[in-house]
Amino acid sequence: VVDIRKLYGQTGLFTFDPGFTSTASCESALTYIDGDEGVLLHRGYPIGQLAEHSSFMEVCYLLLNGELPGADELTKFSTTISRHTMLHEQLNSFYSGFRRDAHPMAIMCGVVGALSAFYHDSTDISDPNHRKISSHRLIAKMPTIAAAAYKYSVGQPFMYPDNTLSYTGNFLRMTFGVPAEEYEVIPAVEKAMDRIFILHADHEQNASTSTVRLAGSSGANPFACIAAGIACLWGPAHGGANEAALNMLKEIGTPDKIPHYIERAKDKNDPFRLMGFGHRVYKNYDPRATVMQKTVREVFDALKVTDPLFETALRLEEIALSDPYFVEKKLFPNVDFYSGIILSAIGFPTTMFTVLFALARTVGWVAQWNEMISDPGQKIGRPRQLYTGPTQRDYVPIEQR
Ligand code: ACO
């Protein structure tokens, strides 16, 4: 008779939940999702209302502090963030160590991970003031780090932050401006970009946020934790899906090719999936995708451009949502399905898409990290396993094997 608990090296109550599909890893007051109804709330406010009426700075304040800011509080918070936008000059030299064709997410992992080497005056995680400063530093410096990753890839000089501009306007200027010329921020583009940041700000215990919490649970410094989150976000099943979705739309090309790709997505022997479709939690339309689809049109109007891939995407959505496979499995467009079309129209190369996601998600990561560290009952994250290897056996000398 085998004691199964001993076999698995485990006694007591034990759950086995691969992918954590039905395990809550923590309590959190930040973000609520009702996946069946397609509802997403930050601190109780619906994402649609925040995207329509709010600003990214306001949402950052909300996520970090629990309430929407008053006018003075918002000004003070935005000013504080703008005072941290500059990078230590020596950090800039990190970039030249990378190949020009390095993926900007690889650069982000490296540069953000290195921040603790420059800002160790804010890494005492037991000190709430250190936690606050490091959170502000991360939110403020991500646009500068991201823009520099882009500038490096195109061989242009880095742009220093212009703190007279908004958070998002400054980011656009650092990315697309050049030192010798005036850069005019187009208000509609600034608004669209800001909205994209809002849509990506937080999403409860997704893979990268769980990674940040797990890394932080050991007491690692916040910069290291966010670098871990960036690494996790990079995967095509998570943040990398926006890049993969646009590449897929390009591969499909014209609407007449859609049925072929729908059939491929349904074929279990074919690894192809519709990128930007499906979600672990949403079994309904992702509310962020609704806003994103609307924003595509606004950006096209503002820039007086169009993109035939938008027609392909709309048609793909229409065909998929009338196909029993997608209906039965409740596979709907997610936030990544339309975002690439907007970012591409604004001028970002596909490799920057996940970087923008990381930039926006930083506030969610630091808010979740702060919530975890402030919890007096916080423990190191340490999942168990079901051991499936050999039972105990004796070492065999090499000449007898
Ligand atoms: N295309 C085709 N079939 C799909 C797709 C898709 N995009 N997504 C899920 N399915 C099918 C699966 O094959 C599976 O079928 P089965 O039950 O017959 O085996 C079923 O739907 C359930 O899929 P799972 O992978 O088990 O669901 P899970 O919750 O683990 O995965 C995920 C969710 C990773 C998002 C998945 O839907 C996917 O890979 N989508 C494409 C990538 C993507 O868009 N990722 C972005 C997610 S949002 C974000 O991170 C911001």
Side-chain angles (χ1 to χ4, degrees):
V1 178
V2 177
D3 180 342
I4 190 143
R5 292 169 309 168
K6 278 245 166 71
L7 186 63
Y8 287 134
Q10 176 68 35
T11 53
L13 182 66
F14 193 73
T15 56
F16 177 50
D17 183 12
F20 311 115
T21 53
S22 40
T23 298
S25 61
C26 61
E27 289 182 306
S28 178
L30 283 155
T31 293
Y32 171 80
I33 303 176
D34 181 334
D36 293 330
E37 297 298 324
V39 171
L40 168 60
L41 312 175
H42 291 318
R43 303 278 193 190
Y45 296 103
I47 189 66
Q49 290 182 22
L50 292 172
E52 187 68 31
H53 306 296
S54 183
S55 68
F56 182 62
M57 274 298 97
E58 207 174 22
V59 172
C60 287
Y61 185 97
L62 174 69
L63 287 169
L64 290 172
N65 299 294
E67 295 296 336
L68 286 168
D72 288 350
E73 286 166 322
L74 181 59
T75 306
K76 199 169 159 222
F77 178 71
S78 305
T79 305
T80 304
I81 294 297
S82 68
R83 292 210 172 118
H84 285 295
T85 50
M86 210 69 89
L87 279 188
H88 191 290
E89 196 60 27
Q90 269 176 274
L91 257 174
N92 284 337
S93 51
F94 266 61
Y95 288 83
S96 54
F98 289 97
R99 280 171 56 137
R100 287 264 175 218
D101 60 355
H103 196 289
M105 282 299 276
I107 297 180
M108 294 294 282
C109 290
V111 175
V112 174
L115 286 177
S116 65
F118 293 86
Y119 302 106
H120 35 67
D121 57 340
S122 63
T123 52
D124 177 359
I125 63 163
S126 64
D127 182 338
N129 202 38
H130 274 224
R131 298 207 295 270
K132 195 170 177 181
I133 296 171
S134 57
S135 301
H136 291 164
R137 280 177 165 159
L138 278 156
I139 294 167
K141 292 182 196 309
M142 283 298 273
T144 319
I145 295 170
Y150 172 73
K151 284 296 191 203
Y152 183 69
S153 73
V154 291
Q156 290 180 0
F158 296 168
M159 296 284 283
Y160 283 98
D162 177 349
N163 293 336
T164 62
L165 298 175
S166 71
Y167 182 87
T168 303
N170 177 44
F171 170 64
L172 289 169
R173 180 184 161 277
M174 286 191 293
T175 306
F176 298 119
V178 282
E181 288 172 22
E182 279 290 306
Y183 178 77
E184 197 187 330
V185 178
I186 301 169
V189 173
E190 183 183 12
K191 176 85 195 136
M193 197 70 235
D194 204 68
R195 188 179 287 162
I196 291 173
F197 289 162
I198 292 173
L199 294 177
H200 288 92
D202 190 49
H203 212 227
E204 54 123 296
Q205 306 313 314
N206 56 83
S208 57
T209 302
S210 300
T211 301
V212 170
R213 277 188 178 256
L214 193 58
S217 77
S218 74
N221 75 70
F223 305 106
C225 296
I226 301 309
I230 293 171
C232 177
L233 186 76
W234 194 359
H238 191 9
N242 51 15
E243 184 177 346
L246 193 73
N247 288 338
M248 176 194 74
L249 288 171
K250 283 181 185 162
E251 188 186 325
I252 295 175
T254 46
D256 58 304
K257 309 268 176 33
I258 293 171
H260 168 68
Y261 285 89
I262 292 276
E263 288 315 308
R264 283 192 60 192
K266 288 155 53 175
D267 180 355
K268 291 289 157 209
N269 297 317
D270 187 332
F272 177 80
R273 281 187 168 199
L274 283 192
M275 298 314 283
F277 255 77
H279 197 275
R280 169 60 63 79
V281 184
Y282 293 118
K283 300 304 166 198
N284 202 324
Y285 211 98
D286 180 339
R288 302 168 299 173
T290 315
V291 182
M292 212 58 105
Q293 199 200 75
K294 191 172 145 241
T295 308
V296 176
R297 294 201 168 88
E298 287 173 10
V299 169
F300 282 0
D301 288 348
L303 295 174
K304 299 185 179 52
V305 296
T306 183
D307 184 343
L309 290 184
F310 184 42
E311 292 311 317
T312 305
L314 288 171
R315 187 78 188 114
L316 179 61
E317 176 185 329
E318 197 182 341
I319 294 176
L321 297 189
S322 59
D323 187 301
Y325 174 93
F326 293 90
V327 175
E328 277 156 28
K329 294 190 188 298
K330 299 186 176 155
L331 300 169
F332 293 85
N334 60 47
V335 66
D336 292 321
F337 190 60
Y338 289 106
S339 63
I341 295 173
I342 307 175
L343 297 175
S344 194
I346 294 175
F348 291 101
T350 46
T351 51
M352 279 297 286
F353 293 179
T354 315
V355 170
L356 302 175
F357 193 155
L359 186 170
R361 183 54 59 86
T362 296
V363 65
W365 289 331
V366 297
Q368 299 262 358
W369 173 81
N370 271 297
E371 188 181 53
M372 179 188 68
I373 302 289
S374 316
D375 177 357
Q378 186 257 325
K379 286 182 166 193
I380 187 168
R382 184 20 174 122
R384 295 302 313 270
Q385 61 169 8
L386 285 185
Y387 176 69
T388 58
T391 48
Q392 185 173 328
R393 49 187 171 161
D394 289 328
Y395 178 80
V396 181
I398 196 158
E399 59 279 6
Q400 290 173 27
R401 285 178 227 158

